Amino acid sequence: MIDEHTEEVASLYAFDLLEGEEKSAFEQRLAQEPALCTLVNELRAASHGIASLAPLASPSPALRNRVMASVSDPRVPSRSHPLRFVLWAGWAAAAGFALAAASLGHLYLEARTDAVAGRESAAIAKVDAESTRQLLEAERLLSQGQLQSLRLAESRIATLQQQADLAQLKIASLTSLLVDSPQAQAIAVWSTEAQEGILAVVNLPALPANRDYQLWVIDPQYSLPVDGGVFTVEPSRGEARVQFKPKERIAQAVKFAVSLERKGGVAKAEGPMVLISP
Amino acid sequence: MNSVPPASSPAGARNDGEDAELIERVARGDRTAFGALYDRYSRPLYSIALRVLNDAREAEDIVHDVFVALWNKAGGFAAERGTAFGWCVALTRNRAIDRVRARRRRGELLTQSLPADLGHDENRNGNTDSSDALWQKEKAAIVRQALESLPAEQRTALQLAYFGGLTQQEIAEQLSEPLGTVKARIRRGLFRLRELLPDGL
């Protein structure tokens, strides 16, 4: 149940009207309360209806030429593979998961592979070692009309989650809270038994030198999220793959979140949350 | 008066699929598709930026940057996370608000009072009412009707919150109302709007 005061704060947050500590405190709540997260997303969507109050106007014809000229740079060839969209929109989550899963496989799944790895997980796991195979697999899926971007990746994650339960792994998909980077996403694979995990991230914005991303693990036994360590991303693609060991013993990792913090990280989240798992 | 269409798509849900196809082509470096998206999105996005900034040149800068971002990030755009147009609307508004706030921080105070229609020539450049444009108007009319059904004080507070680039306190000062009253109006207005707008609009 969300009380009236929280509704008020959520409304202000949807308009980016919160500042300082009030904003940080609310973002910490967002990291821990999925219902609140959903409410904020709905309020943000509603707020953009207000855009319709803007009288319709036209930019100058020269703007079109200027925009088109700006996108004719030499980066085009690097984007030109016909499966680029597939790889980075839908396949990114699966590939990210594959990176994490394949690595964790060495740690946790080696002895159980035959028992738990289904045909799809096997195909995904091979992606890490065989980039060519990844491409072919993506092409096959595309040709079958099965690749529906993130939906497919999430479906695979759900399947693998079932398998992972057998191996006592927690697999979570983290989605973006960034309005400017809604495509940012991550996969966290966590072993309570080993008290370590792997986080694979794509499409997070690059950071200035004085900032770090910081991973948090939410365990109900602690009143605050547990520090999972800091990381940065490769600037051009916003990618990172990090192995993490939380600062406290985790009994139950119910959620993962990533916040933007000052360099080196903080003991208690202060900055805005950028990614969170359901 | 013409107005910006709702954020699902500039031409409504029936064109969301076409937009998604164009985005896919843009992600593959298809400049023709990118040009088509520009033709679909540029007017509403420019209108939002102009509404916030009240400066045609700055509004064009924002629209330019948003389209470059769309070009660079089309490959990472996941349709399940919303429409491309909705993403562009959010980005346009946020960047315009950031610019307003930066302008204010530099001491160039924004002195507008309540937002009012800016009276732009809606059909310069020879835009005509295609079937898509008519559909846009229908969708926009639904949103406008929802907004207009709100009490005037709520609608005004929402407009200031969305377009103004102001702090909570500044909105209260503009409206000459206590801060608590303004917060309550924003909450009631936004929650009512959420109820009134159909899903996907």
Side-chain angles (χ1 to χ4, degrees), chain B residues 26-43:
Chain B
V26 169
R28 298 197 295 266
D30 185 334
R31 287 168 51 80
T32 302
F34 183 69
L37 274 180
Y38 178 89
D39 293 339
R40 283 178 178 227
Y41 293 180
S42 59
R43 289 185 74 207

Side-chain angles (χ1 to χ4, degrees), chain A:
Chain A
M1 182 67 183
I2 296 174
D3 61 43
E4 195 169 280
H5 174 70
T6 301
E7 288 180 353
E8 191 168 276
V9 178
S11 300
L12 296 172
Y13 186 79
F15 283 113
D16 296 320
L17 287 172
L18 294 186
E19 297 175 294
E21 288 182 7
E22 190 179 21
K23 183 177 180 182
S24 299
F26 186 73
E27 285 174 339
Q28 282 197 28
R29 287 192 61 187
L30 276 181
Q32 298 171 30
E33 299 177 37
L36 191 55
C37 215
T38 300
L39 174 65
V40 165
N41 287 336
E42 290 175 0
L43 292 176
R44 275 197 167 138
S47 77
H48 289 305
I50 298 165
S52 69
L53 290 176
L56 197 54
S58 299
S60 67
L63 180 61
R64 192 181 198 281
N65 296 335
R66 187 177 148 207
V67 168
M68 295 305 290
S70 294
V71 300
S72 59
D73 63 29
R75 284 172 298 171
V76 173
S78 69
R79 300 159 43 87
S80 63
H81 191 285
L83 285 172
R84 193 74 188 165
F85 172 80
V86 172
L87 292 173
W88 286 105
W91 194 247
F97 170 75
L99 293 172
S103 297
L104 274 182
H106 295 298
L107 293 172
Y108 310 116
L109 290 175
E110 192 170 7
R112 305 186 62 95
T113 300
D114 290 343
V116 301
R119 187 177 58 187
E120 287 209 327
S121 63
I124 292 176
K126 289 176 184 174
V127 168
D128 189 32
E130 301 175 53
S131 59
T132 303
R133 190 178 182 83
Q134 173 186 347
L135 198 60
L136 293 172
E137 176 69 357
E139 286 173 342
R140 183 183 70 78
L141 290 168
L142 182 64
S143 67
Q144 292 176 355
Q146 293 176 349
L147 194 57
Q148 295 295 320
S149 191
L150 188 57
R151 191 174 298 148
L152 175 61
E154 287 175 345
S155 164
R156 286 167 172 240
I157 290 165
T159 302
L160 289 159
Q161 175 74 67
Q162 292 178 341
Q163 298 168 347
D165 286 342
L166 298 173
Q168 297 180 323
L169 291 185
K170 164 86 175 178
I171 301 172
S173 168
L174 286 74
T175 54
S176 177
L177 296 172
L178 295 169
V179 173
D180 285 357
S181 298
Q183 75 283 11
Q185 55 192 302
I187 301 295
V189 184
W190 167 253
S191 167
T192 301
E193 185 179 5
Q195 287 292 296
E196 63 182 341
I198 283 181
L199 181 74
V201 177
V202 292
N203 292 325
L204 266 181
L207 292 177
N210 62 343
R211 308 298 290 273
D212 272 333
Y213 289 114
Q214 188 161 4
L215 174 67
W216 303 94
V217 183
I218 288 89
D219 181 336
Q221 71 174 318
Y222 301 108
S223 59
L224 294 173
V226 176
D227 179 8
V230 298
F231 64 95
T232 57
V233 295
E234 181 274 323
S236 65
R237 291 178 173 170
E239 294 178 5
R241 185 165 69 104
V242 292
Q243 191 165 346
F244 62 92
K245 292 175 82 73
K247 298 289 166 54
E248 308 285 348
R249 177 162 185 83
I250 301 297
Q252 185 186 8
V254 296
K255 222 179 257 300
F256 298 90
V258 172
S259 66
L260 178 57
E261 305 292 354
R262 60 178 181 263
K263 194 71 182 173
V266 292
K268 175 182 168 186
E270 297 172 356
M273 288 294 165
V274 297
L275 294 168
I276 190 166
S277 66

